[in-house]
């Protein structure tokens, strides 16, 4: 009689697939479209694809790359292969978030949004003179930074200028490539539909997680490097895959939120910043505008350090800009004691006058804590 095949079941996602001997758990997760960190490409170096498994006896033994795991029931998804196919295997993915810097010096900016509330007997909301609907007590805008590795989102009250909520998450496109070049290669070989869908779904997840009515969001302003911006607004990134490495257009874009599939007010406008060049994008334009270095007589330099690092130097008479790849220095891949800015990573170190070392770690969100909106601090200040 033929053996009845079991299934790999991913807890919390309502997704499953038939077991195939020799197949890795990571392969299943990628095929099912489930986000997981795998920056080393499945070599067992980055340790980002750690998962909890029920049915570990049905997997191949731990590899050398997994010897750091001491607690039973945990495996690296890229190393664990299916050994027996007649029993179900349950997989749970620890929910981890990237942490962004949320404090620092800020320049006060006069409030003058395109979205305004006008009272002509009854209050209505307008964007650049175009009526969007009846005023329902609050008007919000979103500032979104699409990084190669991390998404950062700020909710701003457009009547007071107050920042009401901040959120961040790993860019879900990571499962298709760890850097802009690999994602451009993926888009050229397989089309960019998967990349576009992943980023929109990720942004919508962040919007749904905020304690703010999405229908009261009337504008979304987006910055990002050239590849990230164009994937978000649906511009082809194929021109960036070969010389002269120029985008489809450098111009800013205004697009309807409904057209992009964003879960905000359907009449909301999405404004994507203009670009400087093939590898210097709207995020750099945002830095120049926010610092107002373009108005100064003295020469200034701005450095945006990320997966891609951009540097701008100049003054009101002119500026020059350049960029370079910095991701490998920060993502932990191939570094024995390295890791990205995820839950459990050390984010602050202080050596006091008695030469005692104190540190803080990023919040680690377990699956239970994430569901309740609670954070667990691994270590606190010691």
């Amino acid at each position: 009689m033929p053996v009845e095949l079991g299934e790999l079941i991913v807890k919390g996602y309502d997704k499953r697939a038939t077991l195939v001997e020799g197949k890795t758990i990571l392969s299943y997760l990628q095929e099912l479209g489930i986000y997981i960190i795998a920056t080393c490409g499945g070599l067992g170096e980055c340790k980002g694809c750690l998962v909890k498994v029920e049915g570990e006896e049905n997997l191949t033994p731990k590899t050398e790359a997994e010897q750091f795991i001491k607690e039973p029931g945990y495996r690296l998804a890229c190393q664990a292969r299916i050994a027996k196919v007649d029993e179900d295997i349950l997989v749970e993915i620890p929910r981890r978030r990237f942490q962004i810097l949320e404090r620092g010096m800020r320049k006060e900016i006069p409030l003058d949004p395109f979205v305004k509330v006008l009272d002509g007997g009854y209050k209505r909301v307008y964007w650049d003179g175009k009526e969007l609907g009846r005023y329902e007590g609050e008007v919000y805008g979103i500032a979104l930074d699409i990084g190669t590795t991390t998404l950062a989102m700020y909710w701003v009250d457009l009547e007071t200028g107050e920042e009401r909520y901040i959120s961040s998450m790993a860019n879900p496109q990571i499962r298709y490539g760890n850097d802009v070049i690999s994602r451009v290669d993926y888009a050229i070989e397989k089309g960019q539909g998967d990349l576009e869908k992943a980023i929109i779904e990720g942004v919508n997840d962040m919007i749904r997680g905020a304690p703010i009515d999405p229908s009261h969001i009337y504008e979304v302003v987006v910055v990002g490097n050239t590849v990230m911006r164009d994937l978000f607004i649906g511009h082809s990134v194929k021109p960036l895959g070969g010389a002269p490495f120029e985008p489809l257009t450098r111009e800013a874009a205004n697009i309807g939120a409904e057209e992009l599939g964003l879960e905000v007010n359907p009449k909301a406008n999405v404004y994507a910043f203009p670009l400087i060049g093939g590898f210097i994008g709207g995020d750099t334009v945002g830095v120049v505008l926010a610092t107002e270095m373009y108005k100064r007589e003295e020469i200034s330099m701005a450095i945006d350090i990320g997966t891609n690092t951009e540097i701008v130097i100049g003054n009101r008479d002119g500026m020059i800009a350049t960029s370079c790849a910095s991701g490998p220095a920060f993502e932990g891949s191939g570094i024995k004691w390295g890791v990205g800015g995820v839950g459990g990573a050390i984010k602050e170190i202080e050596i006091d006058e008695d030469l005692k070392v104190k540190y803080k770690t990023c919040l680690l969100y377990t699956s239970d804590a994430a569901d309740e909106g609670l954070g667990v601090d691994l270590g606190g200040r010691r």
Side-chain angles (χ1 to χ4, degrees), residues 11-201:
K11 295 178 67 175
Y13 288 87
D14 194 27
K15 291 189 177 183
R16 57 182 65 206
T18 302
L19 293 178
V20 176
E21 187 174 353
K23 191 170 183 177
T24 66
I25 292 177
L26 179 61
S27 295
Y28 281 104
L29 299 177
Q30 290 172 333
E31 291 173 7
L32 292 171
I34 297 172
Y35 167 73
I36 188 167
I37 300 172
T39 55
C40 67
L43 299 178
E45 296 176 350
C46 70
K47 311 295 191 293
C49 64
L50 187 71
V51 295
K52 188 175 182 180
V53 178
E54 294 180 29
E56 188 178 6
E57 65 277 6
N58 299 317
L59 300 172
T60 53
K62 288 180 181 176
T63 66
E64 184 177 348
E66 296 176 282
Q67 295 309 307
F68 74 98
I69 303 173
K70 304 304 180 184
E71 190 171 349
Y74 285 87
R75 298 293 302 270
L76 290 181
C78 68
Q79 301 293 300
R81 296 181 179 274
I82 309 302
K84 294 174 60 179
V85 297
D86 56 345
E87 296 181 16
D88 291 344
I89 298 174
L90 274 67
V91 175
E92 182 177 358
I93 304 172
R95 298 190 184 184
R96 306 169 75 189
R97 71 166 191 166
F98 280 82
Q99 188 156 330
I100 62 171
L101 184 65
E102 297 178 353
R103 52 192 170 82
M105 296 178 61
R106 297 193 182 189
K107 178 180 175 60
E108 289 296 323
I109 299 175
L111 183 64
D112 187 21
F114 271 64
V115 178
K116 299 184 184 298
V117 178
L118 302 178
D119 191 349
Y122 53 91
K123 290 185 176 181
R124 311 288 289 183
V125 181
Y126 292 82
W127 177 83
D128 197 24
K130 176 184 176 182
E131 184 177 322
L132 302 183
R134 183 185 295 274
Y135 175 68
E136 296 181 350
E138 56 185 15
V139 175
Y140 282 97
I142 284 178
L144 171 63
D145 183 353
I146 304 176
T148 310
T149 302
T150 312
L151 308 182
M153 188 181 292
Y154 293 74
W155 281 254
V156 180
D157 186 323
L158 296 182
E159 295 181 277
T160 66
E162 179 186 1
E163 287 179 2
R164 292 291 302 277
Y165 191 73
I166 302 173
S167 179
S168 62
M169 69 174 289
N171 188 326
Q173 294 175 332
I174 285 177
R175 62 176 177 261
Y176 301 111
N178 192 40
D179 51 57
V180 293
I181 300 301
S182 58
R183 291 180 206 174
V184 169
D185 288 343
Y186 185 95
I188 292 173
E189 293 175 12
K190 300 182 180 180
Q192 61 187 61
D194 291 337
L195 293 159
E196 293 177 8
K197 181 180 178 182
I199 193 64
I200 294 297
E201 288 181 348

